[in-house]
Amino acid sequence: MRKPIIAGNWKMNKLVAEGARFVVDIREKVPPNEEVDTVVCAPFVHIPFISEAARAYHVKIGAQNMHYEESGAFTGEVSPTMLEDLLVDYVIIGHSERRQYFNETDETVNKKTKAAFEHNLLPIVCVGESLEQRENNETVDFVSGQVKKALDGLSDEQAKQVVIAYEPIWAIGTGKTATSEEANEVCKHIREVVKEAYSEDVSEAVRIQYGGSVKPENIEELLGMSDIDGALVGGASLKEDAFLKLVEAGQHVR
Ligand SMILES: O=C(CO)COP(=O)(O)O
């Protein structure tokens, strides 16, 4: 059985004191890691504070991006070594907003995914089609290509630990959710792609999240689907009570 993983992506929100307060407020209510992985993906400036606040609790810490090099002349960037140093557990890679606004490509996504494993970070690799691609029936081909390129060159052991977040771009922040059937269909294809590239064993281990207007009202239905193992959540992860409801749904899903 794959362990559910609920990850909040705060994006560019909250001041440092607000972020720390959020973690302090939720940390005693977060269920044990044996039942569900609960991850808070915060802007870099929050990380030292929330990492400290989460220590010895079941809240895992995630970053929203990183560079693939360990150090060097890359003004404004943060390295995997720096995240490892702050005991970060997860890192979101290839979010559609980074692909769209910050020149993230399949190639850099692949480099970052590999770099994550070299630094004890688990990658949450984001894939997803635009509305135009969906309307042109290109979803499966496009998303399959993104997955293949992102995972290229990983060992079986690494591939098993990757978290893939399927986030249709048209459902992000729009209030439009893919129906659970639509979401599951693509997640199933993603698992097939992993099976072809690796093995059944790997594909059965890899966790696939859905993301795009996930909220307490729709999480149970989404998590009830055969190939959806969790959620990557933007807006609804910013409020303590909503986030805890999502985590609770993850705890009780199977
Ligand atoms: O992009 C997302 C999470 O990474 C989804 O954002 P929303 O949950 O706000 O639609």
Side-chain angles (χ1 to χ4, degrees):
M1 194 186 98
R2 297 181 289 270
K3 198 204 311 180
I5 172 165
I6 307 295
N9 174 10
W10 287 353
K11 308 193 178 182
M12 196 173 71
N13 290 294
K14 293 190 187 295
L15 299 180
V16 163
E18 295 167 338
R21 200 175 320 121
F22 181 102
V23 172
V24 169
D25 284 351
I26 66 161
R27 65 188 181 186
E28 277 162 22
K29 298 175 194 146
V30 166
N33 284 149
E34 296 75 44
E35 297 174 21
V36 56
D37 279 326
T38 304
V39 190
V40 172
C41 300
F44 293 130
V45 293
H46 288 261
I47 288 177
F49 303 95
I50 62 170
S51 178
E52 177 71 32
R55 201 159 304 157
Y57 291 89
H58 297 283
V59 182
K60 305 228 168 141
I61 302 301
Q64 298 173 7
N65 177 40
M66 65 176 191
H67 200 281
Y68 48 83
E69 293 287 352
E70 294 188 351
S71 63
F74 299 103
T75 302
E77 290 291 305
V78 168
S79 75
T81 329
M82 295 170 191
L83 298 182
E84 184 180 25
D85 182 46
L86 293 175
L87 306 178
V88 168
D89 305 287
Y90 289 87
V91 57
I92 297 175
I93 293 174
H95 192 280
S96 61
E97 287 149 18
R98 297 220 56 92
R99 294 181 191 255
Q100 191 177 351
Y101 307 127
F102 302 100
N103 287 328
E104 189 83 272
T105 63
D106 287 328
E107 191 191 344
T108 56
V109 167
N110 179 246
K111 285 184 176 170
K112 291 177 182 190
T113 303
K114 287 178 178 159
F117 282 111
E118 281 159 27
H119 294 280
N120 291 314
L121 302 162
L122 292 177
I124 298 177
V125 174
C126 301
V127 296
E129 81 288 0
S130 65
L131 184 57
E132 194 185 347
Q133 288 167 324
R134 173 155 287 260
E135 284 170 351
N136 291 337
N137 288 324
E138 294 164 5
T139 300
V140 168
D141 282 352
F142 181 72
V143 170
S144 302
Q146 285 183 315
V147 171
K148 269 186 221 153
K149 289 173 206 154
L151 272 50
D152 187 46
L154 298 183
S155 69
D156 281 20
E157 263 332 290
Q158 291 171 336
K160 274 185 187 175
Q161 294 180 71
V162 170
V163 177
I164 299 173
Y166 168 56
E167 300 203 309
I169 296 169
W170 49 271
I172 295 178
T174 56
K176 267 193 192 173
T177 332
T179 65
S180 36
E181 286 78 18
E182 280 171 333
N184 195 52
E185 194 193 330
V186 182
C187 293
K188 221 184 231 270
H189 276 290
I190 291 173
R191 207 176 294 288
E192 270 308 303
V193 170
V194 176
K195 186 173 155 187
E196 279 163 29
Y198 288 89
S199 66
E200 176 146 18
D201 196 30
V202 172
S203 74
E204 285 304 317
V206 81
R207 292 184 294 174
I208 305 176
Q209 296 175 308
Y210 168 77
S213 301
V214 175
K215 43 188 182 276
E217 295 74 32
N218 58 22
I219 182 94
E220 280 173 26
E221 190 180 329
L222 287 161
L223 293 182
M225 304 307 288
S226 62
D227 288 275
I228 301 179
D229 308 309
L232 182 59
V233 188
S237 76
L238 293 169
K239 293 253 161 62
E240 288 89 340
D241 52 346
F243 185 61
L244 283 170
K245 280 187 191 149
L246 300 172
V247 170
E248 215 174 285
Q251 181 189 16
H252 297 303
V253 64
R254 291 189 181 127

